[in-house]
Amino acid sequence: MWTTPGKLRAKGIIGMNRRNIRYIGRYNDRRLYPLVDDKLQTKLLAQRYDITTPALIGTVSTQFGVKHIRDMLDGHSGFVIKPAKGSGGKGILVIERVEGQHYIKPSGAHLTLKDVERHVSNILSGLYSLGGSPDVAIIEGLINFDETFNEYTYEGVPDIRVIVFKGYPVMAMMRLSTAASDGKANLHQGAVGVGIDIASGQAIRGVQFDCSRHDHPDTGHELASLRIANWHTLLKLAASCYEMTSLGYLGTDMVLDRDHGPMLLELNARPGLAIQMANGEGLRNRLDLIEQQPGGLDVEQRVDFAQQHFARRSELDAVRAAASVQTASA
């Protein structure tokens, strides 16, 4: 379905040009980009600010170090290997468990030590990095994600993206991995984006491949009942990244760990705009409102403001109610 620029403006949809010039260009000092473009720097910075991140097993920065991968992984039943300067989920290898000489992915595929070493070597060569520059491989412990989300995802850990503007959480979505996305929470590869109500942490809308949907394509589970626990805590974690980085327009990616609660995965100084489609609403009106607010508010005050002013009713509830009526009529 096609629309017009006028209709998009009326819904407050912002495009890349406005995002880049009006928000990123104005509020993000380029000298601060390395803090978020390099995941290792982000992790070390978060540790200084007591922000929880996945456990760091180790790093590999040279081809010589690749040969010591086996020793580094010894004793770990599962792990994640990612490029420090990667983007879009590229180059992330998840090993769910180790059985003898085999490293097993969530899909069930078996890798050998040579396969793992080759993947790390590719990361170091810059195969997945921004601009193809030499990179560092980060090895982290597995996230024990909250089992209440088992029916909402397929072979992957769902994550939560929150757009933070001038320290205010303005819009959020959860990304659910699918078979089409190969177990990765990447919307462009086919993951399901679920808009989340800032006030409550409740799912309000679902989308996949630019089309609305009310259930998960692989598990069949409806999305209307999805609700994120510890939501207020998660929003405070996201909002506090403003003080941590001094970046005014920021995308924060988080997960819910069963043992540690909300954890920061990574930050993005140029967050994408698909979150607007997942929420069925543009960012512009919310960003305009925040620009009118005085400075000097603390994290708790900014989160309270966002929850008060950006509350939304769920579109998914209406779909579920209609389905219930049809079932009853039948």
Side-chain angles (χ1 to χ4, degrees), residues 52-53 229-231 233-234 237 254-257 260-264:
T52 306
T53 62
N230 299 315
W231 180 241
T233 301
L234 186 146
L237 175 66
M254 288 165 287
V255 292
L256 288 178
D257 186 88
H260 303 288
M263 302 177 72
L264 177 66

Side-chain angles (χ1 to χ4, degrees), residues 88-121:
K90 298 175 183 177
I92 296 177
L93 173 64
V94 179
I95 298 300
E96 190 175 67
R97 65 188 188 277
V98 180
E99 293 182 357
Q101 301 299 312
H102 292 97
Y103 299 88
I104 304 173
K105 298 170 63 175
S107 64
H110 286 54
L111 303 183
T112 65
L113 177 62
K114 287 293 183 184
D115 294 325
V116 175
E117 290 177 341
R118 186 180 305 111
H119 183 78
V120 173
S121 183

Side-chain angles (χ1 to χ4, degrees), residues 2-14 282 284-285:
W2 296 90
T3 188
T4 65
K7 289 181 179 179
L8 292 175
R9 283 194 296 270
K11 289 184 68 68
I13 302 294
I14 67 170
R284 185 168 182 172
N285 293 338

Side-chain angles (χ1 to χ4, degrees), residues 1 191-193 205-215 277-278:
M1 295 180 65
V192 174
R205 190 171 187 266
V207 64
Q208 184 190 32
F209 293 124
D210 300 336
C211 297
S212 296
R213 70 173 309 129
H214 61 275
D215 60 0
M277 182 170 292

Side-chain angles (χ1 to χ4, degrees), residues 272-284:
L273 297 169
I275 194 169
Q276 298 176 109
M277 182 170 292
N279 280 268
E281 180 182 351
L283 281 160
R284 185 168 182 172

